[in-house]
Amino acid sequence: MDEHVDPLYVRQIKRLNYEIAIRAVGRLDAPIKGALDPEILKWCEHKNFLLVTNNRKSMPLHLRDHLAEGRHIPGIITLSKTMGIGDMIQELVFLAEASENDEFRDQIKPMPIL
């Protein structure tokens, strides 16, 4: 989760399925708060984590640059402006449980995905 995503997402996803591996920017086991998007993409690539963000404006540009460097990313999910938080949390849990490992590789997918 990027640092601008409400921490409620992490808590509720873990409540629904504690086995889902989830990290949030600014926590000890993730990039520091204020990390630049290109660094977050490199961390996601190295640690094999999808990025969940509400950055719909500049993230496509950062992804393009990331891929142009010959790099890859497991994927980026952008949160919806119109879906409710509860529905997005449910969908994120479902995606974590049911998606193939490379299903979103090098792509940005806006919610709703289902």
Side-chain angles (χ1 to χ4, degrees):
M1 298 281 171
D2 90 10
E3 68 185 281
H4 302 291
V5 173
D6 190 323
L8 172 70
Y9 282 86
V10 174
R11 290 191 306 272
Q12 292 301 313
I13 289 169
K14 291 306 264 183
R15 184 183 67 77
L16 293 170
N17 184 336
Y18 68 91
E19 294 180 350
I20 294 174
I22 186 168
R23 303 291 183 272
V25 171
R27 303 291 299 258
L28 293 177
D29 52 356
I32 62 169
K33 270 195 178 200
L36 299 176
D37 290 338
E39 293 305 312
I40 294 171
L41 292 179
K42 288 175 185 173
W43 183 90
C44 288
E45 177 182 23
H46 178 71
K47 299 290 185 174
N48 200 34
F49 276 91
L50 286 169
L51 176 63
V52 176
T53 183
N54 50 22
N55 179 349
R56 292 175 277 302
K57 188 173 183 179
S58 64
M59 197 53 73
L61 303 173
H62 295 305
L63 177 60
R64 181 199 65 207
D65 293 345
H66 187 80
L67 298 175
E69 293 173 2
R71 305 186 74 92
H72 297 281
I73 187 165
I76 300 170
I77 306 294
T78 57
L79 298 174
S80 171
K81 291 181 179 181
T82 58
M83 284 178 76
I85 290 175
D87 290 336
M88 286 192 285
I89 289 168
Q90 289 287 340
E91 186 165 332
L92 289 168
V93 169
F94 178 79
L95 291 172
E97 294 172 345
S99 297
E100 298 294 324
N101 280 345
D102 63 348
E103 188 169 341
F104 304 110
R105 180 180 163 98
D106 298 337
Q107 301 175 58
I108 296 177
K109 293 288 188 178
M111 291 184 85
I113 294 172
L114 306 174

Coordinates of all heavy atoms in Angstrom, one line a residue, residues 19-86:
E19 N -3.4 -14.2 6.5 CA -2.4 -14.8 5.8 C -1.9 -14.0 4.6 O -0.9 -14.3 4.0 CB -2.8 -16.2 5.3 CG -2.9 -17.2 6.5 CD -3.3 -18.6 6.0 OE1 -3.6 -18.8 4.8 OE2 -3.3 -19.5 6.9
I20 N -2.6 -13.0 4.2 CA -2.3 -12.2 3.1 C -1.0 -11.3 3.5 O -1.0 -10.7 4.5 CB -3.4 -11.2 2.6 CG1 -4.6 -12.1 2.1 CG2 -2.9 -10.2 1.6 CD1 -5.8 -11.3 1.8
A21 N 0.0 -11.4 2.6 CA 1.2 -10.7 2.9 C 0.9 -9.2 2.4 O 0.7 -9.0 1.2 CB 2.4 -11.3 2.1
I22 N 1.0 -8.3 3.3 CA 0.7 -6.9 2.9 C 1.7 -6.0 3.6 O 2.0 -6.2 4.8 CB -0.8 -6.6 3.3 CG1 -1.1 -5.2 2.8 CG2 -1.0 -6.7 4.7 CD1 -2.6 -4.9 2.8
R23 N 2.2 -5.0 2.9 CA 3.2 -4.1 3.5 C 2.6 -2.7 3.2 O 2.0 -2.4 2.2 CB 4.5 -4.2 2.9 CG 5.2 -5.6 3.0 CD 5.5 -5.9 4.5 NE 6.2 -7.2 4.6 CZ 5.5 -8.3 4.8 NH1 4.2 -8.4 4.8 NH2 6.2 -9.5 4.9
A24 N 3.0 -1.7 4.0 CA 2.6 -0.3 3.8 C 3.8 0.6 3.9 O 4.6 0.4 4.8 CB 1.5 0.1 4.9
V25 N 3.9 1.5 2.9 CA 5.0 2.4 2.9 C 4.9 3.2 4.2 O 3.9 3.6 4.7 CB 4.8 3.4 1.7 CG1 5.8 4.6 1.8 CG2 5.0 2.7 0.4
G26 N 6.1 3.3 4.8 CA 6.3 4.0 6.0 C 6.4 3.1 7.2 O 6.7 3.5 8.3
R27 N 6.2 1.8 7.0 CA 6.3 0.8 8.0 C 7.8 0.3 8.0 O 8.5 0.4 7.0 CB 5.3 -0.4 7.8 CG 3.9 0.0 7.8 CD 3.4 0.5 9.1 NE 3.4 -0.5 10.2 CZ 2.4 -1.2 10.6 NH1 1.2 -1.0 10.1 NH2 2.6 -2.1 11.6
L28 N 8.2 -0.4 9.0 CA 9.6 -0.9 9.1 C 10.0 -1.8 8.0 O 11.2 -1.8 7.6 CB 9.8 -1.6 10.5 CG 9.7 -0.7 11.7 CD1 9.9 -1.5 13.0 CD2 10.8 0.4 11.6
D29 N 9.1 -2.6 7.5 CA 9.4 -3.6 6.5 C 9.1 -3.2 5.1 O 8.8 -4.0 4.2 CB 8.7 -4.9 6.8 CG 7.2 -4.7 7.1 OD1 6.7 -3.6 7.0 OD2 6.5 -5.8 7.2
A30 N 9.0 -1.9 4.8 CA 8.6 -1.3 3.5 C 9.4 0.0 3.3 O 10.1 0.5 4.2 CB 7.1 -1.0 3.5
P31 N 9.3 0.6 2.1 CA 10.0 1.8 1.9 C 9.5 2.9 2.9 O 8.4 2.9 3.4 CB 9.5 2.2 0.4 CG 9.2 0.9 -0.2 CD 8.6 0.1 0.9
I32 N 10.4 3.8 3.1 CA 10.1 4.9 4.1 C 9.1 5.9 3.5 O 8.9 6.0 2.3 CB 11.4 5.7 4.5 CG1 12.0 6.4 3.2 CG2 12.4 4.8 5.1 CD1 13.1 7.4 3.5
K33 N 8.4 6.5 4.5 CA 7.4 7.6 4.0 C 8.2 8.6 3.3 O 9.3 9.0 3.6 CB 6.8 8.2 5.2 CG 5.5 7.5 5.6 CD 4.7 8.4 6.6 CE 3.4 7.6 6.8 NZ 2.3 8.3 7.3
G34 N 7.6 9.1 2.2 CA 8.3 10.1 1.4 C 9.1 9.5 0.3 O 9.7 10.3 -0.5
A35 N 9.3 8.2 0.3 CA 10.0 7.6 -0.8 C 9.4 7.9 -2.2 O 8.2 8.0 -2.3 CB 10.1 6.0 -0.6
L36 N 10.2 8.2 -3.1 CA 9.7 8.5 -4.4 C 9.1 7.3 -5.1 O 9.5 6.2 -4.9 CB 10.9 9.1 -5.3 CG 11.5 10.4 -4.8 CD1 12.7 10.8 -5.6 CD2 10.5 11.5 -4.7
D37 N 8.1 7.6 -6.0 CA 7.4 6.5 -6.7 C 8.4 5.5 -7.4 O 8.2 4.3 -7.3 CB 6.4 7.0 -7.6 CG 5.2 7.6 -6.8 OD1 5.0 7.3 -5.7 OD2 4.5 8.5 -7.4
P38 N 9.4 6.0 -8.1 CA 10.3 5.1 -8.8 C 11.0 4.1 -7.8 O 11.2 2.9 -8.1 CB 11.3 6.0 -9.5 CG 10.5 7.2 -9.7 CD 9.7 7.4 -8.5
E39 N 11.3 4.6 -6.6 CA 11.9 3.7 -5.6 C 10.9 2.7 -5.1 O 11.3 1.6 -4.8 CB 12.5 4.6 -4.5 CG 13.7 5.4 -4.9 CD 14.8 4.6 -5.5 OE1 15.2 3.5 -5.0 OE2 15.3 5.0 -6.6
I40 N 9.7 3.1 -4.9 CA 8.7 2.2 -4.5 C 8.5 1.1 -5.5 O 8.3 -0.1 -5.2 CB 7.4 2.9 -4.1 CG1 7.6 3.9 -2.9 CG2 6.2 2.0 -3.9 CD1 6.4 4.8 -2.7
L41 N 8.5 1.5 -6.8 CA 8.3 0.5 -7.8 C 9.5 -0.5 -7.8 O 9.3 -1.8 -8.0 CB 8.2 1.1 -9.2 CG 6.9 1.9 -9.5 CD1 7.0 2.5 -10.8 CD2 5.7 1.1 -9.3
K42 N 10.7 -0.1 -7.6 CA 11.9 -1.0 -7.5 C 11.7 -1.9 -6.3 O 12.0 -3.1 -6.4 CB 13.1 -0.2 -7.4 CG 13.5 0.5 -8.7 CD 14.7 1.4 -8.6 CE 15.0 2.1 -9.9 NZ 16.1 3.1 -9.7
W43 N 11.2 -1.4 -5.2 CA 11.0 -2.2 -4.0 C 10.0 -3.3 -4.3 O 10.2 -4.4 -3.9 CB 10.6 -1.3 -2.8 CG 10.5 -2.1 -1.5 CD1 11.4 -2.3 -0.6 CD2 9.3 -2.7 -1.1 NE1 10.9 -3.1 0.4 CE2 9.6 -3.4 0.2 CE3 8.0 -2.9 -1.6 CZ2 8.6 -4.1 0.9 CZ3 7.0 -3.6 -0.8 CH2 7.4 -4.2 0.4
C44 N 8.9 -2.9 -4.9 CA 7.8 -3.8 -5.2 C 8.4 -4.9 -6.2 O 8.0 -6.1 -6.0 CB 6.6 -3.1 -5.9 SG 5.7 -2.1 -4.8
E45 N 9.2 -4.5 -7.1 CA 9.8 -5.5 -8.0 C 10.7 -6.5 -7.2 O 10.6 -7.7 -7.4 CB 10.6 -4.8 -9.1 CG 11.3 -5.7 -10.0 CD 12.2 -5.0 -11.1 OE1 12.6 -3.9 -10.8 OE2 12.4 -5.7 -12.1
H46 N 11.6 -5.9 -6.4 CA 12.5 -6.8 -5.6 C 11.8 -7.7 -4.7 O 12.2 -8.8 -4.5 CB 13.5 -5.8 -4.9 CG 14.5 -6.6 -4.1 ND1 15.5 -7.3 -4.6 CD2 14.6 -6.7 -2.7 CE1 16.2 -7.9 -3.6 NE2 15.6 -7.5 -2.5
K47 N 10.8 -7.2 -4.0 CA 10.1 -8.0 -3.0 C 8.9 -8.7 -3.5 O 8.2 -9.5 -2.8 CB 9.6 -7.1 -1.8 CG 10.7 -6.4 -1.1 CD 11.5 -7.4 -0.3 CE 12.6 -6.6 0.5 NZ 13.3 -7.5 1.4
N48 N 8.6 -8.5 -4.8 CA 7.4 -9.2 -5.5 C 6.1 -8.9 -4.9 O 5.3 -9.8 -4.6 CB 7.7 -10.7 -5.5 CG 6.8 -11.4 -6.6 OD1 6.6 -10.8 -7.6 ND2 6.4 -12.6 -6.3
F49 N 5.8 -7.6 -4.7 CA 4.5 -7.1 -4.2 C 3.8 -6.3 -5.2 O 4.5 -5.5 -5.9 CB 4.7 -6.2 -2.9 CG 4.9 -7.0 -1.7 CD1 6.1 -7.4 -1.2 CD2 3.8 -7.3 -0.9 CE1 6.3 -8.1 0.0 CE2 3.9 -8.0 0.3 CZ 5.1 -8.4 0.7
L50 N 2.5 -6.5 -5.3 CA 1.7 -5.6 -6.1 C 1.7 -4.2 -5.3 O 1.7 -4.2 -4.1 CB 0.2 -6.1 -6.2 CG -0.1 -7.2 -7.1 CD1 -1.5 -7.7 -6.8 CD2 0.0 -6.8 -8.5
L51 N 1.5 -3.1 -6.0 CA 1.4 -1.8 -5.4 C -0.1 -1.4 -5.5 O -0.7 -1.5 -6.6 CB 2.2 -0.8 -6.1 CG 2.1 0.7 -5.6 CD1 2.5 0.8 -4.2 CD2 2.8 1.6 -6.5
V52 N -0.7 -1.1 -4.3 CA -2.0 -0.5 -4.3 C -1.9 0.9 -4.0 O -1.2 1.3 -3.0 CB -2.9 -1.2 -3.2 CG1 -4.2 -0.6 -3.1 CG2 -3.0 -2.7 -3.5
T53 N -2.5 1.8 -4.9 CA -2.3 3.2 -4.8 C -3.5 3.9 -5.2 O -4.4 3.4 -5.9 CB -1.1 3.6 -5.7 OG1 -0.8 5.0 -5.5 CG2 -1.3 3.3 -7.1
N54 N -3.6 5.2 -4.9 CA -4.6 6.1 -5.4 C -4.0 7.1 -6.4 O -4.7 8.1 -6.7 CB -5.5 6.7 -4.3 CG -4.7 7.4 -3.2 OD1 -3.5 7.7 -3.5 ND2 -5.2 7.5 -2.1
N55 N -2.8 6.9 -6.7 CA -2.1 7.8 -7.6 C -2.4 7.3 -9.1 O -1.7 6.5 -9.7 CB -0.6 7.7 -7.4 CG 0.3 8.6 -8.3 OD1 -0.2 9.1 -9.3 ND2 1.5 8.7 -8.0
R56 N -3.4 7.9 -9.7 CA -3.8 7.6 -11.0 C -3.1 8.6 -12.0 O -3.1 8.3 -13.2 CB -5.3 7.7 -11.2 CG -6.1 6.6 -10.4 CD -7.5 6.8 -10.4 NE -8.2 7.7 -9.5 CZ -8.1 7.6 -8.2 NH1 -7.3 6.7 -7.6 NH2 -8.7 8.5 -7.4
K57 N -2.6 9.7 -11.5 CA -2.1 10.7 -12.5 C -0.6 10.4 -12.9 O -0.4 10.3 -14.1 CB -2.1 12.1 -11.8 CG -1.8 13.2 -12.7 CD -2.1 14.5 -12.0 CE -1.8 15.7 -13.0 NZ -2.0 17.0 -12.4
S58 N 0.3 10.3 -12.0 CA 1.7 10.1 -12.4 C 2.2 8.7 -12.4 O 3.2 8.4 -13.0 CB 2.6 10.9 -11.5 OG 2.6 10.5 -10.1
M59 N 1.5 7.7 -11.8 CA 1.9 6.4 -11.8 C 2.1 5.8 -13.1 O 3.1 5.0 -13.4 CB 1.0 5.5 -10.9 CG 1.7 4.2 -10.5 SD 3.3 4.3 -9.7 CE 2.9 5.0 -8.1
P60 N 1.2 6.0 -14.1 CA 1.5 5.5 -15.5 C 2.8 5.9 -16.0 O 3.5 5.2 -16.7 CB 0.3 6.0 -16.3 CG -0.8 6.2 -15.3 CD -0.1 6.7 -14.0
L61 N 3.2 7.2 -15.8 CA 4.5 7.7 -16.3 C 5.6 7.0 -15.6 O 6.6 6.6 -16.2 CB 4.6 9.2 -16.0 CG 3.5 10.0 -16.7 CD1 3.6 11.5 -16.3 CD2 3.5 9.9 -18.2
H62 N 5.5 6.8 -14.3 CA 6.6 6.1 -13.5 C 6.7 4.6 -14.0 O 7.8 4.1 -14.1 CB 6.3 6.1 -12.0 CG 6.3 7.5 -11.4 ND1 7.4 8.3 -11.6 CD2 5.4 8.2 -10.7 CE1 7.2 9.5 -10.9 NE2 6.0 9.4 -10.4
L63 N 5.6 4.0 -14.2 CA 5.6 2.6 -14.7 C 6.3 2.6 -16.1 O 7.1 1.7 -16.3 CB 4.2 2.0 -14.8 CG 4.1 0.6 -15.3 CD1 5.0 -0.4 -14.5 CD2 2.7 0.1 -15.4
R64 N 5.9 3.5 -17.0 CA 6.5 3.5 -18.3 C 8.0 3.6 -18.2 O 8.8 2.9 -18.8 CB 6.0 4.7 -19.1 CG 6.5 4.8 -20.5 CD 6.4 6.1 -21.1 NE 7.1 7.1 -20.4 CZ 6.9 8.4 -20.3 NH1 5.8 8.9 -20.9 NH2 7.6 9.2 -19.5
D65 N 8.5 4.5 -17.3 CA 10.0 4.7 -17.2 C 10.6 3.5 -16.5 O 11.7 3.1 -16.9 CB 10.2 5.9 -16.3 CG 9.8 7.2 -16.9 OD1 9.6 7.3 -18.1 OD2 9.7 8.2 -16.2
H66 N 9.9 2.8 -15.6 CA 10.4 1.6 -14.9 C 10.6 0.5 -16.0 O 11.6 -0.1 -16.0 CB 9.4 1.2 -13.9 CG 9.8 0.1 -13.0 ND1 10.7 0.3 -11.9 CD2 9.5 -1.2 -13.0 CE1 10.8 -0.9 -11.3 NE2 10.1 -1.8 -12.0
L67 N 9.6 0.3 -16.8 CA 9.7 -0.7 -17.9 C 10.7 -0.4 -18.9 O 11.4 -1.3 -19.4 CB 8.3 -0.9 -18.5 CG 7.2 -1.4 -17.6 CD1 5.8 -1.4 -18.3 CD2 7.5 -2.7 -17.0
A68 N 10.9 0.9 -19.2 CA 11.9 1.3 -20.2 C 13.3 1.0 -19.7 O 14.2 0.8 -20.5 CB 11.7 2.8 -20.5
E69 N 13.5 0.9 -18.4 CA 14.8 0.6 -17.8 C 15.0 -1.0 -17.9 O 16.0 -1.4 -17.4 CB 14.9 1.0 -16.4 CG 14.9 2.5 -16.2 CD 14.8 3.0 -14.8 OE1 14.8 2.1 -13.9 OE2 14.8 4.2 -14.5
G70 N 14.1 -1.7 -18.5 CA 14.2 -3.1 -18.5 C 13.7 -3.8 -17.2 O 14.0 -5.0 -17.0
R71 N 13.0 -3.1 -16.4 CA 12.6 -3.6 -15.1 C 11.2 -4.1 -15.3 O 10.5 -4.0 -16.3 CB 12.7 -2.5 -14.1 CG 14.1 -1.9 -14.0 CD 14.2 -0.9 -12.8 NE 14.2 -1.7 -11.6 CZ 15.3 -2.1 -11.0 NH1 16.5 -1.8 -11.5 NH2 15.3 -2.7 -9.8
H72 N 10.7 -4.8 -14.2 CA 9.3 -5.3 -14.2 C 8.7 -5.0 -12.9 O 9.4 -4.7 -11.9 CB 9.3 -6.8 -14.5 CG 9.9 -7.1 -15.9 ND1 9.1 -7.0 -17.0 CD2 11.1 -7.5 -16.2 CE1 9.9 -7.3 -18.0 NE2 11.1 -7.6 -17.6
I73 N 7.4 -5.3 -12.8 CA 6.7 -5.1 -11.5 C 5.5 -6.1 -11.5 O 4.9 -6.4 -12.6 CB 6.2 -3.7 -11.3 CG1 5.6 -3.5 -9.9 CG2 5.2 -3.3 -12.4 CD1 5.4 -2.1 -9.5
P74 N 5.2 -6.7 -10.3 CA 4.1 -7.6 -10.3 C 2.8 -7.0 -10.7 O 1.8 -7.7 -11.0 CB 4.1 -8.1 -8.8 CG 5.5 -7.9 -8.4 CD 6.0 -6.6 -9.1
G75 N 2.6 -5.7 -10.6 CA 1.4 -5.0 -11.0 C 1.1 -3.8 -10.1 O 1.7 -3.7 -9.0
I76 N 0.2 -3.0 -10.5 CA -0.3 -1.8 -9.8 C -1.8 -1.9 -9.8 O -2.4 -2.0 -10.9 CB 0.3 -0.5 -10.4 CG1 1.8 -0.5 -10.4 CG2 -0.3 0.7 -9.6 CD1 2.4 0.6 -11.1
I77 N -2.4 -1.7 -8.7 CA -3.9 -1.6 -8.6 C -4.2 -0.2 -8.1 O -3.6 0.3 -7.1 CB -4.4 -2.6 -7.5 CG1 -4.0 -4.0 -7.8 CG2 -6.0 -2.5 -7.4 CD1 -4.5 -4.6 -9.1
T78 N -5.0 0.5 -8.9 CA -5.4 1.9 -8.4 C -6.8 1.8 -7.8 O -7.7 1.2 -8.4 CB -5.4 2.9 -9.6 OG1 -6.2 2.4 -10.6 CG2 -4.0 3.1 -10.1
L79 N -6.9 2.4 -6.7 CA -8.2 2.4 -6.0 C -9.2 3.3 -6.7 O -8.9 4.2 -7.4 CB -8.0 3.0 -4.6 CG -7.1 2.2 -3.7 CD1 -6.9 2.9 -2.3 CD2 -7.7 0.8 -3.4
S80 N -10.5 3.0 -6.6 CA -11.6 3.6 -7.2 C -12.0 4.9 -6.5 O -12.0 4.9 -5.3 CB -12.8 2.7 -7.4 OG -13.9 3.3 -7.8
K81 N -12.4 5.9 -7.3 CA -13.0 7.1 -6.7 C -14.5 6.9 -6.3 O -15.0 7.6 -5.5 CB -12.9 8.3 -7.6 CG -11.5 8.8 -7.9 CD -11.6 10.0 -8.8 CE -10.2 10.5 -9.1 NZ -10.3 11.7 -10.0
T82 N -15.1 5.9 -6.9 CA -16.5 5.7 -6.7 C -16.9 4.5 -5.9 O -18.0 4.5 -5.4 CB -17.2 5.6 -8.1 OG1 -16.7 4.5 -8.8 CG2 -17.0 6.9 -8.9
M83 N -16.1 3.5 -5.8 CA -16.4 2.3 -5.0 C -16.3 2.7 -3.5 O -15.5 3.5 -3.1 CB -15.4 1.2 -5.3 CG -15.7 0.4 -6.5 SD -14.4 -0.9 -6.8 CE -15.0 -2.1 -5.7
G84 N -17.1 2.0 -2.7 CA -16.9 2.2 -1.2 C -15.7 1.4 -0.7 O -15.2 0.5 -1.4
I85 N -15.2 1.9 0.4 CA -14.0 1.3 1.0 C -14.2 -0.2 1.2 O -13.3 -1.0 0.9 CB -13.5 2.0 2.3 CG1 -13.0 3.4 1.9 CG2 -12.5 1.2 3.0 CD1 -12.7 4.3 3.1
G86 N -15.3 -0.5 1.8 CA -15.6 -1.9 2.1 C -15.6 -2.8 0.9 O -15.1 -3.9 0.9

